[in-house]
Amino acid sequence: MSGISDILVLIKQVPDTSSKAGLNPDGTIDRAKAKRMLNPFDRYALQAALHVKKMYGGRVTALTMGPPPAVEILLEAIAHGADQGYLLSDRRLAASDTLATAYALHKCVLYLGKMDLIFTGLQTTDGDTAQVGPQIAERLDLPQVTYCEDFSIEEGKLHARRIVEGGHQDVICNLPALVTVANAYHQLEYKTLRGARLIQELNRDEALKNQYIHTITLDDVSADPELCGLKGSPTIVAHTDKVGQIGGQCVMHQGKSIEALVKEITGGTQIKEFVRQ
Amino acid sequence: MSEESPEIVKPINADQPVGEVLVFAEQCLGELQPVGLELLGAGRILADKLKRPLTAIVLGHNLGDIPKTLIAHGADKVYIADHPDLEQYRTLPYRRVICKWIEQMAVEPHTMLLGSTTTGRDLAPRIAAHFTTGLTADTTELDIGDYDHKGGSDPSKIGLYAHCLYAIRPSFGESLKARILGPWKNPQMATTRPGVMVPLKPDWERTGEVITIPVDIDSSDYRLAVKETFREVNQTVNLAQADVIVAGGYGLGNPEGFELIRKLADCFDNSAVGASRKVVDAGWIPYNHQIGQTGKTVRPKVYIACGISGAIQHRVGMQNSDLIIAINKDPDAPIFKFAHHGIVGDLYQVLPEMIRQLQSSQSSSPKEVSSVV
């Protein structure tokens, strides 16, 4: 008996920067035009949650906070095998910083009830802070394993390996716990045909979709709006500067045979000092 | 009131007491981590601007000369928590000891700085959430200045604030630097990547106060136990110490491209393999190879960027390398704006040729290698 009954995965929809769509010529992002995707680290978190379900049982709930289109990533999670999805969507959440986001999400966790394991990605690709996971854990008074790259559950405890500088660390953690996932150790199984069909059905049948996906507001989870959004955020972006271009000093090597180009580097720069003898 | 108004405006927080600047000095297996000294270098400037003491807090067991080293590097006061159960970093006991110590201070610290390490990024958000205070991740610059808050949904916050922490970081994928502030609550917190700030030259004559702080760990703090910590001797991930880093990006086209990257790295002594965020996100190579704002900050003697476009996210992690060589198909790639040498060409032609030339120079004396063709 693993004793696992409920697994939560916290995911976020982010702009897809690998696509040129929505990328302005100066490198800034037009979020309205940009393609959207599931945050890559959250994909690993989803893999981890589904791995637990497969190996040890339990029910997987995916939770996200965002505007209505964020429902797309909940459908994606369900297509991969999550059992249900919750979207916290509320205008009063606009401009939340990490602390306000963590406050709102921890209220959702309390609303959803007891969770044995909470997974989330190490960080998002649009915020890069890695703060929301640990801030939720603090609010819920849970132990946490950050930078997790592998784990198993033995005798009701989480045995996890986390990345540390120049190596890794093995820890044993009581449940419930919050885990931030850094690596794609447990490969996400491809969307099954069943999963793909289910999504088609859900997109056709609103009533059926509502059985799988629940949209909730701050009022549903009894969150104090004063602690959310801009009001609940202790930080603000006060000013932005364009980053100045440096240099223009680059010596370009082009338009010759590859051999000649490479020779200009291997022979003409100080890299030869470091060649292994 | 217009901006040109000659009236001198009194800052809203003018009468509030200003606390110290507190630096979390990380140790690992009894060894002080360099980032702590770097933070003291940055913290000294902030503390001098605020005219307040610079303090350091260090947790561990048998800390030896660490307090002395911290004082030599700019700390006015060092708080030490020495306990066998603090020898290895664990979130909950560290968070408990630090938060309790801050809570008993007459005035809470104005600023608290931590390293953006796997420890600092684990601990800082817990402390920030405990005090419901602001925290800015992975800053590249820190300063103290005024802030005139004009808008926002909360009218009670509008006004001029004195001596705020400016936490500056590049913003996501964009050529923008964001200045992030949170003057409404102290401590104002920030993390900074190792290798970004510059430590002061140590002054071993410098004196300071060393204060032993209480260690009061709750039984619930033992919910996580560290079984073992491994440090790899393997040079391929030792990015911080490498002389030469060969880094691969999305331009490699597939994960197998890293075979070629490794082969090129093997041509050099003391080399390491790095990667851009995109390929780590794609699962081509583990996260501990990642260079950039969300990975490691490096400054090797030679940095060879292969198929890396050079977005700001990557640039902030490697732009201080002594020699940057970029190989990219796209002549307009941003990396050519700050590399020293650029080869425009196909990686799968350039890299094998480079490996061939370097290997053949290995057998000959370096003096015989001709210079520019």
Side-chain angles (χ1 to χ4, degrees), chain B residues 155-221:
Chain B
S156 66
K157 285 182 182 172
I158 290 176
L160 180 70
Y161 294 82
H163 46 70
C164 315
L165 175 70
Y166 289 1
I168 299 161
R169 72 188 301 246
S171 85
F172 156 66
E174 304 173 18
S175 317
L176 292 175
K177 270 198 309 194
R179 184 194 296 166
I180 297 168
L181 278 82
W184 299 283
K185 187 132 192 202
N186 291 340
Q188 301 171 43
M189 293 180 64
T191 64
T192 300
R193 291 216 151 264
V196 174
M197 301 298 174
V198 183
L200 299 173
K201 283 213 179 80
D203 172 2
W204 298 102
E205 306 297 307
R206 225 171 156 273
T207 55
E209 201 180 345
V210 179
I211 298 164
T212 302
I213 67 172
V215 176
D216 193 4
I217 305 171
D218 191 89
S219 61
S220 67
D221 296 334

Side-chain angles (χ1 to χ4, degrees), chain A residues 44 123 125 138 141-142 144 146 165-166 168 170 172 174 236 238-239 241 246 251 253 266 274 276, chain B residues 118 121-122 126 147 172 177 179 223 225 227-228 230-232 267 281 337 340-342 357 362:
Chain A
Y44 308 156
Q123 58 201 22
T125 54
E138 179 67 21
D141 189 25
L142 288 179
Q144 70 190 30
T146 55
E165 283 72 19
H168 54 260
D170 288 339
I172 303 172
N174 289 3
I236 52 147
H239 181 79
D241 273 326
I246 358 172
V251 180
H253 304 265
T266 58
F274 302 98
R276 179 168 289 164
Chain B
T118 56
R121 289 175 114 217
D122 186 272
R126 299 281 313 213
Y147 173 55
F172 156 66
K177 270 198 309 194
R179 184 194 296 166
R223 282 176 284 176
K227 212 164 89 187
E228 213 171 351
F230 306 85
R231 302 274 160 178
E232 287 171 28
C267 295
D281 286 351
K337 299 223 161 69
H340 302 99
H341 287 272
Q357 291 188 17
Q362 284 170 8

